[in-house]
Amino acid sequence: AALYTPLARRFVTNRQFELYFDGFYSIYSLPNIVLPLIGGVIVDRWGFATSLCLFTSFCLAGQAAVAAACASGSLNGMLVGRAIFGLGGESLSVAQSAFITSWFQDKELALSLGLSLSVARLGSVVNNLMSPRLASAFGSVHAALWAGAAFLALSLLCALALRCIDGRCSRAIRARFRIEVESSAVD
């Protein structure tokens, strides 16, 4: 919705723009009635760290496809990009919640989940404020879409870093648990 006006100007010659614009939301939202359930199964099977990277990759690939399709003037390509983005979008929230729940099992779990939700909503507000400004500053709506892809690339790097950190911490906890179990067996 934040980029409606610049997108409408970009596709002013396409009489079906309104239908496509509504489709951008629908093609993301309708499958995400069920996809978080599937995402939950994936998180349970593959682990939250790997799933976090997978779902972020879908979001990045989808956003890049939307930006490239917009630059080339393809509304159909933008729909495909939104569908790819949707494969990761809401399932990413499932993986984030699993990640937070794992790290904050004993203390501050509710605070951590609340903070995660607040940061996500803050990101939406910043997107709604900055995207039109970026489109105006660069003179093209696809520049704002590419900026979104750049932020998703940064998000993927953060997810990969969290995966490494989580792997190291998990190994350290398992090693510590083994030492505690072995020392209690000796006593």
Side-chain angles (χ1 to χ4, degrees), residues 39-80:
V41 171
I42 291 171
V43 170
D44 286 341
R45 291 211 176 143
W46 293 0
F48 50 81
T50 300
S51 300
L52 192 67
C53 294
L54 173 70
F55 299 139
T56 305
S57 295
F58 277 128
C59 290
L60 173 57
Q63 183 66 23
V66 168
C70 180
S72 68
S74 172
L75 288 168
N76 287 327
M78 290 177 72
L79 279 175
V80 170

Side-chain angles (χ1 to χ4, degrees), residues 32 78 95 167 170 185:
N32 273 298
M78 290 177 72
S170 294

Side-chain angles (χ1 to χ4, degrees), residues 88-163:
E90 300 305 317
S91 296
L92 181 58
S93 295
V94 174
Q96 288 170 335
S97 295
F99 201 98
I100 290 168
T101 302
S102 172
W103 275 48
F104 297 94
Q105 291 177 12
D106 298 329
K107 295 184 179 183
E108 290 91 21
L109 176 60
L111 175 64
S112 302
L113 289 168
L115 182 62
S116 174
L117 187 58
S118 293
V119 169
R121 296 303 175 260
L122 177 63
S124 296
V125 170
V126 170
N127 175 62
N128 286 337
L129 291 172
M130 294 307 298
S131 292
R133 287 181 172 92
L134 288 171
S136 177
F138 288 106
S140 69
V141 68
H142 58 86
L145 295 170
W146 280 116
F151 275 104
L152 280 164
L154 179 63
S155 295
L156 181 57
L157 290 175
C158 290
L160 290 167
L162 279 173
R163 185 174 182 213

